[in-house]
């Protein structure tokens, strides 16, 4: 059974190798505003099939919004030229999700910062959810998975080193383990593109490294396209071939990882002095929050 | 205003003394208390409250209480039989309503259904809930004839209204993340509900259903009074015939059964939470 799935993986690699140079993601003039707040201000982004791309930028630069639009989880703003295609399938155009978006989402596996597993279901069932886009709707809705599919789920769990946890509830796992289960789910989904939104932001350094190793392995072994947004530039440089930097919802830098230097980062995150200021203002706003909390009981007493 | 307070929390009490906003709040509070008092007085008159009657007719009450004792268990097997019918009415009344409350509950949740769907369904459920079981029982006795089935239907309609609301409240309190996780795999809308929503709300749903079963057993003892089967029929006949010793025996059997079922369902509920 496991051999069968390896065979499948080999076929994938061959197919992608012969197709190298095709685009896995094509995003054209993508914009998104929330009220008066512009999250993404017109981004064009093409990603080659089989590439591993890091999306970096400070908080609020639009990384997350961009990734969620690529996966068809939110709409873009209405815009005649705006469109997003993934694996040659239209995800959305002109601010409207494609009418086949539910089916087409199965070509994009999404890894969330907060893992988004169903905590009361077993680890194995969480992984099997990855098949819902592929198997007939009626069978998925009845939670009817074949023996072969269950074996595939176990094989995926084995690959992320968690097959002994298959029967446990997802809620009993640590954050790093839950993220690996989420990756196993995306393995079963067998999507051409894996989009990961801050997959390691909530993890300790050891778990973070493990998760990035697995994502990198999937990219190299299975030839999947991986786009990952990251807070830590070090990780981006170590694991990705191409680095795209966002600031204020626009692409500010787009380089190969080797070419990225400190000046680019200064340009992306603002001057170094600003960066220090940013740190201070963050702690200031924390203080403000505390004093606001202290003011509340005083008000309540009055 | 708020900024000022935030900057100097230690001065908050000083500020509040001269703060017109807070003064206004105090007046508002006083007004609300006055309103509560007015409502209480108004209802006292409407309900013709007369605690003195309790004292005035104390003799009558003592006499009547005396008529209840000792309870007469001569026909105990008939009473137990009818009590079992009552429980059977409650079981089916609850089961049918749980089955219907699942789709109605999900479709009246703001975070699942669009407004043009959840608004009419909610109003429909309000209507089911607004009418008491007894009223439905009287109507169903006319429709399907005397007997326990009318009681089942009465409990079923009312409980569907109650459970759909409780189920919807549970659905509206779920975490959105797991649902999005399921959506991202290419799942259908129904599958989002099956895999993302239901596992999250199931413990609460089970707990609410068992609780409604308990209260349906209590309600089922009453629907018999209008002819919809169960122990209520006997209860009503004996009260009307001033046979208080028999009435007392029936009431004791009801109390014991309801207490036992409450304990059982509480045990079951703990298993699921």
């Amino acid at each position: 059974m496991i051999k069968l799935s390896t065979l499948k993986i080999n076929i994938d690699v061959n197919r992608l190798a012969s197709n190298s140079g095709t685009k896995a993601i094509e995003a054209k003039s993508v914009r998104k505003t929330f009220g008066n707040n512009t999250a993404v201000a017109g981004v064009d982004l093409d990603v080659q099939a089989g590439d591993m791309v890091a999306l970096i930028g400070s908080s609020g630069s639009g990384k997350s919004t961009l990734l969620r639009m690529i996966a068809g989880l939110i709409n873009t703003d209405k815009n005649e030229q705006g469109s997003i295609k993934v694996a040659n399938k239209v995800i959305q155009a002109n601010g409207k999700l494609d009418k086949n978006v539910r089916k087409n989402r199965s070509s994009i596996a999404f890894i969330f910062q907060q893992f988004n597993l169903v905590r009361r279901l077993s680890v194995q069932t969480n992984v099997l959810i990855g098949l819902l886009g592929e198997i007939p709707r009626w069978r998925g809705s009845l939670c009817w998975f074949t023996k072969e599919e269950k074996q595939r789920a176990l094989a995926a769990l084995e690959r992320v080193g968690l097959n002994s946890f298959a029967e446990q509830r997802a809620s009993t796992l640590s954050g790093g383990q839950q993220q690996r289960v989420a990756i196993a789910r995306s393995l079963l989904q067998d999507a051409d593109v894996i989009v990961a939104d801050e997959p390691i932001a909530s993890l300790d350094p050891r778990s973070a490294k493990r998760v990035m190793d697995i994502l990198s392995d999937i990219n190299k072994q299975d030839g999947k396209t991986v786009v990952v947004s990251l807070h830590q530039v070090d990780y981006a440089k170590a694991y990705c071939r191409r680095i795209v930097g966002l600031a204020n919802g626009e692409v500010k830098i787009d380089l190969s990882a080797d070419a990225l230097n400190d000046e680019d980062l200064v340009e992306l995150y603002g001057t170094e002095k600003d960066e220090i200021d940013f740190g201070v203002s963050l702690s200031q706003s924390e203080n403000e929050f505390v004093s606001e909390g202290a003011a509340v009981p005083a008000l309540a007493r009055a | 205003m708020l900024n000022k307070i935030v900057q100097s929390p230690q001065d908050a009490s000083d500020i509040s003394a001269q703060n017109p906003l807070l003064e206004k709040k105090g007046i508002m509070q006083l007004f609300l208390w006055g309103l509560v008092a007015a409502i209480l007085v108004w209802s006292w008159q409407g309900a013709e409250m007369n605690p003195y009657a309790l004292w005035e007719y104390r003799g009558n009450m003592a006499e009547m209480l005396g008529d209840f004792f000792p309870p007469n268990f001569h026909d105990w097997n008939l009473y137990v039989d009818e009590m079992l019918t009552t429980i059977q009415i409650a079981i089916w009344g609850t089961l049918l309503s749980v089955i219907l409350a699942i789709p109605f509950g999900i479709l009246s949740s703001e975070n699942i259904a669009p407004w043009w769907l959840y608004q009419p369904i909610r109003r429909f459920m309000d209507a089911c809930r607004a009418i008491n079981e007894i009223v439905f029982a009287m109507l169903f006795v006319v429709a399907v004839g005397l007997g326990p089935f009318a009681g089942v239907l009465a409990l079923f309609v009312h409980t569907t209204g109650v459970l759909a609301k409780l189920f919807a409240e549970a659905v509206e309190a779920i975490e959105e993340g797991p649902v999005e996780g399921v959506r991202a795999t290419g799942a259908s809308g129904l599958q989002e509900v099956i895999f993302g929503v239901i596992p999250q709300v199931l413990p609460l749903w089970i707990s609410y259903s068992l609780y409604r079963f308990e209260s349906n057993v209590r309600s089922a003892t009453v629907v018999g009074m209008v002819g919809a089967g169960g122990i209520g029929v006997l209860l009503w006949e004996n009260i009307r015939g001033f046979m208080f010793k028999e009435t007392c025996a029936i009431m004791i059997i009801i109390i014991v059964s309801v207490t036992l079922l409450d304990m059982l369902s509480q045990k079951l509920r703990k298993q699921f939470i």
Side-chain angles (χ1 to χ4, degrees):
Chain A
M1 222 46 91
I2 293 163
K3 266 181 193 158
L4 236 171
S5 63
T6 12
L7 188 71
K8 195 164 186 226
I9 288 162
N10 285 335
I11 293 165
D12 276 349
V13 170
N14 289 338
R15 181 166 57 82
L16 283 167
S18 64
N19 279 0
S20 68
T22 57
K23 286 170 186 169
I25 299 175
E26 293 176 78
K28 287 201 188 86
S29 1
V30 170
R31 294 178 54 89
K32 183 73 183 178
T33 47
F34 297 104
N36 291 327
N37 204 347
T38 304
V40 173
V43 165
D44 292 280
L45 182 70
D46 285 354
V47 176
Q48 302 297 319
D51 205 354
M52 183 146 178
V53 181
L55 206 57
I56 60 172
S58 50
S59 310
S61 59
K63 306 188 291 291
S64 193
T65 309
L66 180 60
L67 291 181
R68 293 166 66 79
M69 287 190 290
I70 288 172
L73 293 173
I74 50 175
N75 305 56
T76 61
D77 283 352
K78 210 168 148 60
N79 169 13
E80 297 269 333
Q81 285 83 44
S83 74
I84 294 173
K85 268 194 198 172
V86 175
N88 279 323
K89 288 172 187 146
V90 178
I91 299 299
Q92 47 182 321
N94 195 16
K96 267 193 178 153
L97 293 174
D98 190 77
K99 67 178 193 311
N100 290 323
V101 71
R102 283 209 176 266
K103 204 74 197 168
N104 293 350
R105 279 194 196 112
S106 66
S107 342
I108 316 151
F110 204 99
I111 310 279
F112 298 86
Q113 181 181 345
Q114 294 303 333
F115 333 128
N116 285 3
L117 301 180
V118 186
R119 295 163 58 81
R120 291 184 62 88
L121 294 181
S122 73
V123 166
Q124 189 178 12
T125 311
N126 267 291
V127 176
L128 285 166
I129 286 174
L131 287 172
L132 287 178
E134 180 189 320
I135 63 176
R137 288 293 192 212
W138 65 269
R139 200 151 67 76
S141 302
L142 293 172
C143 316
W144 180 342
F145 299 103
T146 64
K147 219 173 221 170
E148 190 256 329
E149 285 161 356
K150 286 177 185 161
Q151 284 296 332
R152 268 174 73 190
L154 287 178
L157 279 171
E158 193 171 5
R159 188 154 172 201
V160 297
L162 289 172
N163 47 333
S164 56
F165 295 83
E167 301 298 321
Q168 284 187 28
R169 271 193 188 169
S171 57
T172 59
L173 269 54
S174 72
Q177 290 170 329
Q178 288 194 38
Q179 194 60 294
R180 276 146 63 198
V181 174
I183 294 175
R185 178 170 73 186
S186 76
L187 279 172
L188 227 64
Q189 196 177 331
D190 201 22
D192 298 327
V193 178
I194 296 179
V195 175
D197 183 14
E198 303 267 9
I200 57 170
S202 315
L203 304 182
D204 62 89
R206 231 178 101 235
S207 305
K209 187 177 176 306
R210 183 130 193 212
V211 163
M212 288 307 294
D213 283 340
I214 295 171
L215 282 176
S216 168
D217 182 64
I218 292 171
N219 169 255
K220 288 187 183 122
Q221 298 300 318
D222 306 11
K224 306 285 188 198
T225 312
V226 177
V227 180
V228 50
S229 72
L230 291 165
H231 245 79
Q232 305 92 324
V233 179
D234 298 347
Y235 275 104
K237 277 177 120 168
Y239 285 95
C240 300
R241 286 187 281 280
R242 176 179 164 199
I243 294 183
V244 175
L246 288 184
N248 300 320
E250 284 172 22
V251 176
K252 277 280 149 60
I253 56 171
D254 188 353
L255 301 162
S256 79
D258 313 325
L260 185 78
N261 58 38
D262 289 351
E263 282 149 45
D264 297 317
L265 292 175
V266 168
E267 195 193 316
L268 180 67
Y269 288 101
T271 63
E272 272 169 306
K273 189 174 169 296
D274 275 353
E275 229 183 296
I276 297 160
D277 283 350
F278 176 69
V280 172
S281 78
L282 190 75
S283 64
Q284 253 174 6
S285 70
E286 264 170 23
N287 280 338
E288 219 168 74
F289 183 70
V290 170
S291 65
E292 196 174 292
V296 170
L299 268 169
R301 273 200 306 273
Chain B
M1 196 63 71
L2 198 67
N3 271 339
K4 224 172 163 182
I5 295 166
V6 167
Q7 276 165 5
S8 50
Q10 68 276 19
D11 295 335
S13 54
D14 288 350
I15 289 168
S16 70
Q18 328 140 359
N19 189 331
L21 197 84
L22 289 175
E23 238 169 70
K24 214 170 159 186
K25 206 175 148 196
I27 294 168
M28 194 67 194
Q29 232 168 31
L30 211 65
F31 172 73
L32 281 176
W33 281 116
L35 193 70
V36 170
I39 289 173
L40 288 177
V41 170
W42 173 70
S43 321
W44 181 276
Q45 285 165 351
E48 297 180 17
M49 294 286 282
N50 183 13
Y52 179 64
L54 286 174
W55 178 252
E56 200 180 345
Y57 301 114
R58 63 189 183 283
N60 288 357
M61 283 193 292
E63 197 182 325
M64 188 174 164
L65 202 65
D67 289 344
F68 273 75
F69 292 97
N72 178 1
F73 280 101
H74 182 258
D75 288 329
W76 67 272
N77 44 359
L78 175 66
Y79 304 158
V80 170
D81 224 35
E82 287 298 312
M83 189 64 222
L84 288 178
T85 310
T86 306
I87 295 169
Q88 289 160 340
I89 293 172
I91 288 174
W92 273 100
T94 311
L95 181 64
L96 292 177
S97 62
V98 169
I99 292 169
L100 252 85
I102 291 171
F104 280 135
I106 289 168
L107 293 178
S108 55
S109 305
E110 257 177 49
N111 53 346
I112 305 280
W115 67 268
W116 51 263
L117 197 58
Y118 77 71
Q119 281 296 352
I121 291 180
R122 273 189 192 180
R123 298 292 83 78
F124 178 48
M125 291 296 108
D126 285 349
C128 292
R129 209 165 49 239
I131 312 292
N132 190 281
E133 296 99 323
I134 285 283
V135 182
F136 279 126
M138 287 194 261
L139 296 174
F140 280 118
V141 164
V142 177
V144 300
L146 290 168
F149 186 53
V152 170
L153 293 177
L155 292 183
F156 156 58
V157 175
H158 180 81
T159 311
T160 302
V162 176
L163 279 182
K165 184 189 165 84
L166 292 173
F167 283 9
E169 271 170 15
V171 171
E172 281 170 0
I174 60 165
E175 274 180 86
E176 191 52 38
V179 183
E180 202 170 43
V182 175
R183 183 178 307 148
T185 65
S188 70
L190 178 66
Q191 288 171 341
E192 279 178 28
V193 172
I194 292 170
F195 288 91
V197 177
I198 290 183
Q200 290 194 57
V201 295
L202 200 59
L204 260 182
W205 280 11
I206 290 172
S207 169
Y208 288 147
S209 303
L210 284 169
Y211 175 71
R212 282 311 302 184
F213 171 65
E214 289 168 36
S215 70
N216 272 347
V217 173
R218 289 189 291 269
S219 302
T221 61
V222 195
V223 291
M225 289 194 165
V226 295
I231 203 162
V233 180
L234 289 177
L235 198 61
W236 184 228
E237 281 171 3
N238 283 296
I239 293 174
R240 268 197 314 192
F242 300 106
M243 297 191 283
F244 292 127
K245 291 192 171 35
E246 288 74 11
T247 307
C248 183
I250 293 170
M251 282 167 76
I252 287 170
I253 284 176
I254 293 175
I255 290 168
V256 170
S257 328
V258 168
T259 310
L260 284 176
L261 284 172
D262 277 15
M263 280 158 63
L264 185 75
S265 104
Q266 207 168 29
K267 269 235 164 75
L268 274 174
R269 261 190 294 165
K270 276 196 185 133
Q271 296 274 308
F272 289 105
I273 290 205

